[in-house]
Amino acid sequence: MSWQGILFVEHQGEIVGGGQFSLLALMQHLRNYQPHCATGGTGTMTAAVRALDIDVEVISMPPIRPGRIFAVWRCVWDIYRMARKRDVVLLHANGSRCMFYAGLAAKFLRLPVCWHVRINDSDGWWDRLLAGWATCIVVVSPAVAQRFAHLDVGAKVRIIYNGVDLEVFAHGDRAVSRARWGWGDRPVVGMVAQLIPLKRHDIFIAAAALLAPRFPEAVFAIVGSEPDPAQGYEALLRSQVAELGLEERVVFTGFCDDAPGLFAAFDIAVLTSENEAFGRVLIEAMAADKPVVATEFGGALEIVVPGQTGLLVPIGDARATADAVGSLLADSDRARALGVAGRERARAKFSIEAHVAQVEALYVEMLKR
């Protein structure tokens, strides 16, 4: 077994979404390489890396601006120093800012660098620059691959779906989680997502308003926190709930540290995003045997087989979302069948083992160049 070192670069010190969870899972389950990690600050991400007993160092990775030349080069130097000290053979950058810093350090180190791209949105001319520096570009779905379609870098792009530790989500404690939130035996429809406008929680709430009279016992759970409370998005959503008279039906749980238990407590998982590169939470729900209802964004088209493992609805359509959820609340046998089929699809295509095997095969290829 080879224990060559890989330096993972993550500019977040906090866990802010699926990108950090996916990186943690990859580092935790590497089989043939030794992970090291540079993070951009102290916080939940750095603590999670340490909890996995993975070597981690905090390095300031500020936004890249002309007035911060000294800070930028200090970061490059710190990554260079860390890589040399650990004698790593490859750098793995989680996102664009990390790719800038890791890419420059890799040039001085004369090492290959992998750019892991997890979002659809282009960074403009930065994409061309960073793609030129990258030895290989890993994208999480065909939708993300389209971000580079206009650049002459097709040979560098590899589609590798995010991986989920399916066994963890297959064993959530439904009874404990429901007792924690006081849901008892009531039907629970849940949405797990950061509280940001892109996720379109307003559509979830509007669908809840349409469903509430028909299913008077149902609870609609919004799970997640707001990265920047100053933006006022959660306050806006709470106002919408109040205006619709749903205070007793819609629950804001905030960030939950027991995702497996939470998915186990759900009866149906919903994701109403208007644009999502992948949709990791859909796989987590499927691993927990839950039927999913999602909008027809790029990642969901890869994850959900409509009518077989879940249901897809048009983006921004509260009525269609309510109809899909209502059809499953009214037909528990169908909901159960979709959940079972979803679990099997998750096992076949989105396991952490398959993800790690593909990434490690890519490392071998990069190191041979």
Side-chain angles (χ1 to χ4, degrees):
M1 176 180 291
S2 169
W3 286 102
Q4 294 173 303
I6 307 292
L7 177 57
F8 293 88
V9 182
E10 166 57 64
H11 80 271
Q12 296 284 357
E14 300 286 348
I15 295 175
V16 299
Q20 287 73 46
F21 284 118
S22 294
L23 181 63
L24 285 167
L26 171 59
M27 291 191 294
Q28 179 183 6
H29 290 89
L30 280 179
R31 295 178 298 179
N32 298 307
Y33 295 89
Q34 179 67 45
H36 305 273
C37 187
T39 62
T42 57
T44 52
M45 179 65 185
T46 303
V49 176
R50 288 199 175 107
L52 294 174
D53 200 26
I54 293 172
D55 169 46
V56 60
E57 185 172 325
V58 175
I59 295 174
S60 177
M61 302 183 204
I64 302 150
R65 295 171 184 162
R68 294 185 171 181
I69 297 299
F70 176 79
V72 165
W73 282 107
R74 176 59 187 266
C75 176
V76 173
W77 164 252
D78 285 342
I79 292 173
Y80 172 89
R81 173 189 49 77
M82 184 178 179
R84 285 291 299 271
K85 183 177 180 180
R86 274 71 169 183
D87 196 26
V88 303
V89 296
L90 185 149
L91 280 69
H92 190 131
N94 199 41
S96 297
R97 189 190 306 184
C98 300
M99 179 58 209
F100 177 82
Y101 287 121
L104 280 175
K107 286 184 176 296
F108 292 110
L109 292 161
R110 297 185 179 181
L111 292 178
V113 57
C114 174
W115 181 17
H116 212 134
V117 183
R118 303 182 187 274
I119 62 174
N120 300 5
D121 297 334
S122 170
D123 286 319
W125 64 269
W126 282 101
D127 278 1
R128 185 178 297 277
L129 174 69
L130 299 180
W133 291 356
T135 310
C136 191
I137 304 168
V138 173
V139 297
V140 298
S141 69
V144 180
Q146 287 301 308
R147 172 173 168 174
F148 300 97
H150 66 292
L151 302 177
D152 188 23
V153 294
K156 292 186 177 184
V157 176
R158 300 287 193 281
I159 299 172
I160 301 180
Y161 296 125
N162 286 334
V164 172
D165 189 343
L166 303 176
E167 288 305 308
V168 169
F169 287 90
H171 296 98
D173 195 319
R174 180 179 175 89
V176 169
S177 188
R178 280 181 165 249
R180 173 182 179 181
W181 299 107
W183 292 335
D185 294 327
R186 300 170 68 183
V188 178
V189 180
M191 177 167 165
V192 179
Q194 277 187 294
L195 298 187
I196 55 176
L198 178 73
K199 305 296 184 178
R200 295 302 304 270
H201 294 82
D202 59 309
I203 298 299
F204 179 78
I205 294 168
L210 294 170
L211 289 164
R214 184 180 172 194
F215 301 97
E217 295 299 314
V219 175
F220 302 90
I222 294 177
V223 182
S225 58
E226 187 172 16
D228 183 4
Q231 297 296 318
Y233 183 61
E234 181 175 351
L236 189 66
L237 295 176
R238 288 183 179 274
S239 294
Q240 181 187 5
V241 168
E243 289 171 4
L244 293 170
L246 296 174
E247 295 98 324
E248 301 300 318
R249 306 295 298 279
V250 175
V251 178
F252 290 83
T253 72
F255 176 78
C256 180
D257 57 2
D258 180 21
L262 201 60
F263 281 114
F266 289 174
D267 293 292
I268 301 167
V270 178
L271 189 59
T272 53
S273 299
E274 67 180 21
N275 184 15
E276 192 98 32
F278 188 66
R280 177 186 177 88
V281 294
L282 295 176
I283 297 172
E284 294 172 346
M286 290 159 62
D289 287 0
K290 303 306 171 183
V292 297
V293 175
T295 42
E296 296 170 325
F297 57 76
L301 298 174
E302 301 298 315
I303 296 169
V304 180
V305 180
Q308 296 182 32
T309 66
L311 302 177
L312 294 179
V313 297
I315 294 170
D317 192 331
R319 171 61 67 181
T321 302
D323 288 346
V325 172
S327 71
L328 298 180
L329 287 173
D331 188 345
S332 59
D333 289 339
R334 185 187 185 208
R336 191 176 303 109
L338 291 178
V340 171
R343 178 192 63 203
E344 295 308 311
R345 180 167 174 78
R347 286 179 176 174
K349 295 200 67 172
F350 304 111
S351 71
I352 188 61
E353 292 80 11
H355 176 75
V356 169
Q358 291 177 72
V359 171
E360 290 196 344
L362 181 60
Y363 289 164
V364 171
E365 179 184 334
M366 292 170 67
L367 291 169
K368 286 181 178 178
R369 294 181 182 178

